[in-house]
Amino acid sequence: MRLRTHVIFSMGLITLAESALRISNVVLLLGSSLVLSYLINFLIDVLGHEEKNGFTRRTPRTHTMGRSFTLGLIISILTAMFLYYMSPIGIYKALIIALMGPVTGWSHMLLDALTENGIYVKRKGKWTRFALAHFKYNNSALNWLFIVIGVMLIIKSLF
């Protein structure tokens, strides 16, 4: 999927989860979800893609369930600590924000698993690709579908 699709879809999931866990401050809700969603999805793609023979391809560096979880958790803990020490959000809200990183990492894997190149899973000690479907990463209909779902989740979490 495209980066914007990952960001908007993850942002929708995060805002919905944060609002369900009682973060009602709209600025904190949208701000933290935007920062986490963009940083984590961007880093998963930057660190986990390599160019070879003029083509960009995914690598198991970040496109696995475990590594996307870990990267998301590290970024969200750092973000939560920054917000906790720089603004009066309290430990409960900081903890909720810290837990949103793995959600973002796994949502990235879900969307990438729908594409033809999929994600990586370990089978018999080797990294192999796994795909739920085989859509092109730039399939307009699929990208727009998940963008609309993300926007609807954001709207749902605000009202």
Side-chain angles (χ1 to χ4, degrees):
M1 297 281 175
R2 296 201 177 275
L3 179 61
R4 69 174 169 254
T5 306
H6 284 295
V7 170
I8 294 170
F9 182 70
S10 297
M11 192 174 166
L13 288 176
I14 293 170
T15 55
L16 188 64
E18 285 180 349
S19 67
L21 293 169
R22 305 287 186 234
I23 292 183
S24 57
N25 181 335
V26 175
V27 174
L28 180 61
L29 189 69
L30 293 176
S32 65
S33 65
L34 176 64
V35 168
L36 288 177
S37 183
Y38 183 77
L39 283 176
I40 293 167
N41 284 300
F42 178 75
L43 287 173
I44 286 173
D45 280 346
V46 167
L47 298 174
H49 288 171
E50 67 182 17
E51 193 163 322
K52 199 172 196 177
N53 299 327
F55 294 100
T56 302
R57 70 179 198 93
R58 294 180 188 131
T59 67
R61 230 175 285 137
T62 59
H63 283 82
T64 69
M65 295 299 285
R67 292 175 181 173
S68 64
F69 179 96
T70 304
L71 180 63
L73 185 62
I74 291 167
I75 298 301
S76 62
I77 287 172
L78 292 173
T79 303
M81 286 174 53
F82 176 81
L83 289 171
Y84 179 76
Y85 288 112
M86 298 308 233
S87 64
I89 65 168
I91 193 73
Y92 177 73
K93 290 178 182 175
L95 179 62
I96 290 171
I97 291 168
L99 295 175
M100 294 302 115
V103 172
T104 304
W106 280 353
S107 75
H108 191 108
M109 294 305 103
L110 170 66
L111 296 185
D112 278 355
L114 297 174
T115 64
E116 60 191 350
N117 293 324
I119 61 172
Y120 287 90
V121 294
K122 204 140 207 189
R123 289 193 182 136
K124 297 180 184 177
K126 290 188 174 189
W127 290 112
T128 59
R129 291 182 188 257
F130 170 78
L132 293 171
H134 294 279
F135 294 104
K136 296 251 185 226
Y137 81 96
N138 60 355
N139 181 311
S140 295
L142 195 63
N143 276 280
W144 276 107
L145 172 66
F146 282 99
I147 287 172
V148 168
I149 291 171
V151 169
M152 290 171 57
L153 291 172
I154 292 168
I155 292 168
K156 170 68 178 148
S157 66
L158 296 176
F159 299 106

